[in-house]
Amino acid sequence: MGSSLGLYNYLIQQGHHTTVITPSDYPDFLTWMPGNEEVVIYTDNKERSAQLIAEADIVFCLDFNNLSRINEMGELVRAADAKKIMIDHHLEPEDFDDYRHWDINACAAAQLVHSFITDILDNKKLINKDVATCLYTGIMTDSGSFRLPNTTSSVHRVIADLIDAGAVNYRIHELVYNSASENRLRFLGHCLSSCLEILPEFNTALIVVNKQDLQKYDVNTGDTEGIVNYALSIASIRLAAFIVERDDKVKLSLRSKGDFPANEICKLYFSGGGHRNAAGGQSSASLQEVVNQLKQILPEYKKLLIQ
């Protein structure tokens, strides 16, 4: 959303008719961003979304490089006559785009939107406060608040430019990280006290959440964001997994330390992918089957996990 709304706020300054369409709803802690009120959620507005995609001249594909990542929308984008521009930093892009601004070393798609505007389009002057605020948010969240290995000196120079352009850094941090609901906090406590399992022989921690837990705590989209990092914060842990049972699938979020390839596990076993230290996947199997499968995989990676 940071990259999408950042680009949106840039394009509307030039008079372009621009709409952000997201494949599903997204966390409440992002709904304050400039331009959010204009976002179309595909699952709530399928006919309008389909029409907008079909009639578009250009479709920007931000922060994903495979059309399956946007679910039903993917085939609509594939079939559209529009020019397709991919701005992304994930591995192994699908060949569906007409133009690609892609760098796996970038810490966030929002960083690439910044370089697209400043370096490719040579239009830095149009990075106003709204653009800067959204791009700062995207870089901040995707870099783990600037603490992941890909937070290079170049990233900090981009952040400095965004602050100079009007992004109020402390306020953005407050809106994203200090705006949890009471239910979310109680749910977090439940995850840590009742759902956390440590596998010391593999330096691995699992947090497993079923549908009943989600219903009990009235968990909204986004309430599960970041919980996996609490498991990873344990000193001995090199791999952490958050596994949650949704209505249609079981979703996995993996986080790792050092050189451990979380993305490899997601790609090979759970129809997903991502970055080395932050990846995700999904499965149509039952919650317990997914947990068992992950545990059965761990011996293959024991040498990497216990080094």
Side-chain angles (χ1 to χ4, degrees), residues 81-257:
D81 292 331
K83 295 293 184 182
K84 301 168 185 75
I85 298 177
M86 177 200 299
I87 302 179
D88 183 65
H89 63 137
H90 295 95
L91 296 168
E92 300 177 356
E94 178 187 357
D95 188 20
F96 68 86
D97 48 311
D98 298 292
Y99 176 84
R100 182 177 302 177
H101 188 51
W102 173 69
D103 183 358
I104 61 171
N105 295 312
C107 78
Q111 179 188 351
L112 291 173
V113 171
H114 178 272
S115 65
F116 181 71
I117 294 171
T118 59
D119 301 332
I120 305 300
L121 302 180
D122 192 23
N123 225 343
K124 183 177 179 179
K125 64 181 181 296
L126 290 186
I127 298 184
N128 60 14
K129 182 176 181 178
D130 287 348
V131 175
T133 295
C134 295
L135 296 184
Y136 185 104
T137 304
I139 296 172
M140 177 191 75
T141 51
D142 223 7
S143 67
S145 293
F146 314 111
R147 60 186 172 82
L148 296 181
N150 54 10
T151 309
T152 62
S153 59
S154 297
V155 174
H156 285 290
R157 281 188 281 272
V158 170
I159 288 300
D161 285 344
L162 296 177
I163 292 173
D164 289 343
V168 183
N169 56 325
Y170 63 87
R171 180 59 175 158
I172 294 171
H173 281 259
E174 180 179 332
L175 288 166
V176 171
Y177 296 118
N178 294 333
S179 59
S181 65
E182 178 184 344
N183 276 350
R184 202 268 181 181
L185 205 59
R186 293 188 183 279
F187 175 65
L188 172 60
H190 171 73
C191 289
L192 298 180
S193 65
S194 302
C195 305
L196 176 65
E197 180 181 2
I198 307 297
L199 305 174
E201 69 272 29
F202 298 113
N203 289 335
T204 294
L206 311 180
I207 296 176
V208 181
V209 175
N210 60 38
K211 285 193 289 188
Q212 289 73 32
D213 292 328
L214 300 181
Q215 294 165 357
K216 178 180 179 181
Y217 292 95
D218 192 24
V219 174
N220 296 315
T221 300
D223 285 342
T224 60
E225 285 288 325
I227 292 178
V228 65
N229 294 317
Y230 287 92
L232 192 65
S233 70
I234 300 170
S236 62
I237 297 302
R238 288 181 59 81
L239 175 66
F242 183 84
I243 307 173
V244 59
E245 182 183 26
R246 300 289 186 181
D247 287 335
D248 54 342
K249 293 183 183 297
V250 173
K251 300 292 183 72
L252 301 89
S253 293
L254 300 190
R255 300 292 183 270
S256 67
K257 295 175 183 174

Side-chain angles (χ1 to χ4, degrees), residues 56-68:
D57 296 313
I58 299 174
V59 173
F60 287 92
C61 301
L62 305 178
D63 207 18
F64 68 91
N65 63 21
N66 190 301
L67 292 176
S68 65

